[in-house]
Amino acid sequence: MAGRIVLSLFATGFAYAAAALSPAHVNRDLRSFLSSSAVIDGYNATAYARWSNFDAPHPGVVISPGSEQDVATIVSYCTSNKIPFLTQSGAHGWANTFQLNESGILINIKSLDSVVFNANKTEVTVGGGVAISDVISAGSKAGALVQTGNCNCVGALGAILGGGYGNLLGLVGFGVDNLLSVNLVLANGTLANITPKDKDLWWALRGAGPNFGIVTSAKVKSYPVSSSGQTAWFGQLVYSGSKVEEVVQTIQNTTLKPKMSEGRAAFMAFLELGPSQDTTTELQYPHWNDGAASFCEKGGYKPSYSVGLANMHPTTWRQVWNEYVSWVSINGTGNSIILMEAYSLEKARSFAPSSSSFAWRNDVNFNAVVIPWYYDTRLGSKAQSWGRKVRNMWRETDDLAAPASYVNFAHGDETLHTVYGDNVSRLKKVKKEIDPNSVFNQWFEI
Ligand SMILES: Cc1cc2nc3c(=O)[nH]c(=O)nc-3n(C[C@H](O)[C@H](O)[C@H](O)COP(=O)(O)OP(=O)(O)OC[C@H]3O[C@@H](n4cnc5c(N)ncnc54)[C@H](O)[C@@H]3O)c2cc1C
C-alpha cells in the first residue's frame, strides 16, 4: 500500500421536541396521511447504513415516503410538531454537520428512484433519491449521457445540489449547470415546481440545495449518443512512491481538454513516466465508474478533509506522501485514501460564476481530499488530527486568495466563506425568505 500512488397540517399537541420518538407514535399520527407504500420504521444502522459512521445521524424514526407528496406531508408534520428531521438519499454525505438524534426523523428518500427520459432523450426526470448507478444504467439503455458523479453508490441529487463533479464535466459543465427544474418540498410543507423563473431560489438551490428544501424529483439535461459515443478511455496508472514529484508536476503541466479523445496519446506524458502498472482501456458508459467501486464501501469511520487548490506543488505533495506512508503504517488504517481530482474546466467556466451559488468556479483547479479510514474508534482523535494536518499542508500552498472547499467534500469545521465563497450574504437573504426558521439545518447551515 505504502509504495503506490493510485492515480401540518396536524399539530398533535404532543411535546416531541427533545423527547425520543418511537415509530408507534409517528405511525399513529401520520400513517393515514401518507400513501400506502410509505414505510415508518425504527432506526437500524444496517438497513440505513451510511458510507461513514463518523458523526453519523442516529434518528429515532425513519420514514420512507411512497410519493413526492408524502415528503411534503412529512415535512409539515415535523415542522408543526417541532421535530428535527434530515433527508437521506445516498447516505454518502461525510460532513460532521448532522445533529439528528433519537428525537428526530430521517426522511429516507431512496424510494423516490424513478428515471424517465423524454422522447428525444434531451431531458431526464430523476427521483430525488436516485443513485448515480440508476441514472447511468437507464441512460445507457436509452442511449443518452447524463452528468452525474463518478461513484455509482452516491445519491445523484446529493452530488448535483452541491455542484456535481463528474466524468462529463469537460463536455457539459457541472451538475448544477445541467439542472432544468426541480420539484421541491419547502419549509412551509408545500411541494412546488422551481424553475429558472424563481430567480433567487433557483440560484441558491444550485450549490447550497439542502438548505432550501427537499428535491423530490428533478429534470436534468441529457445528451443522446450513438453506441460509439458511450466509449471512453479509463484506467489506473500506478507509480512507485519515488515518483511523487514527477507525477505531480506532470499533472500541473497538463492542460485537460474537454475531450481527451486520443486516450493514450493525450496522456503520453504520464505514460512516459514509467508506471509500474497500467490498466487503461476503453470502457462502455455502464462501466465508467467501475474503477471507483472500492471507494463506495459503506461502514467504518472516515472523517474526511478537503481543500481546493489553484496549483499542485511537488514539494507539498512529497510532504503529504510522507505523512500518508507514516499514517498507514498504523494498524487498521490501511484503507485510508489521499485523493486528488482534476477536470477540464473550460466548459464549466463558460457559465458565469454568478449563474449559481456553487462557489469557486473560476478559482479552484484541483480538489484534494484526505480520508483517514478506520474501524477502531480509539483511532478517532488521531485520525482527525492527521486529516487536519494534511489539509493544512495543502492550504499553505493552495495559491488561492482565501481557503476554498467544495461543499460536498468539506469536513464541517470550515467557515461559511470557505464552502460558499462570496455567495454567503445572498444565500443568507434567500434563506431568510424561504426557510426563516431554518428547518433545513443539517448541511453547512446558512
Ligand atoms: C464514495 C464517494 C464518492 C463521491 N463521488 C463524488 C463525485 O464523483 N462527484 C461529486 O460531486 N461528489 C462526490 N462525492 C461527494 C457527494 O457529492 C456528497 O457526499 C453528497 O452529499 C452525497 O449525497 P448522498 O445523497 O449520497 O448523501 P446523503 O448523506 O444522503 O445526503 C447528503 C446531504 O444532501 C442532502 N440531500 C441529499 N439528497 C437530497 C435531495 N434530493 N434534496 C435535498 N437535499 C438532499 C441530505 O439531506 C444531506 O444533507 C462522493 C462522496 C463519496 C462518499
Side-chain angles (χ1 to χ4, degrees), residues 50-51 87 89-93 128 150-151 155 158-159 165 213 215 406 408 443:
R50 296 193 62 83
W51 180 74
T87 313
S89 172
H92 287 75
N150 295 345
C151 283
Y165 280 87
V215 173
Y406 171 38
N408 279 351
W443 191 248

Side-chain angles (χ1 to χ4, degrees), residues 291-350:
S294 59
F295 189 34
C296 277
E297 189 185 310
K298 288 195 172 175
Y301 298 85
K302 303 158 186 154
S304 310
Y305 298 80
S306 177
V307 291
L309 304 169
N311 294 305
M312 301 266 295
H313 290 284
T315 45
T316 304
W317 284 83
R318 165 58 63 195
Q319 286 169 14
V320 169
W321 173 255
N322 292 344
E323 273 299 327
Y324 175 76
V325 170
S326 148
W327 169 254
V328 294
S329 68
I330 302 171
N331 230 354
T333 59
N335 284 349
S336 301
I337 296 173
I338 301 275
L339 188 77
M340 194 288 297
E341 296 199 344
Y343 291 90
S344 161
L345 292 164
E346 196 180 311
K347 175 70 185 178
R349 289 178 177 166
S350 70

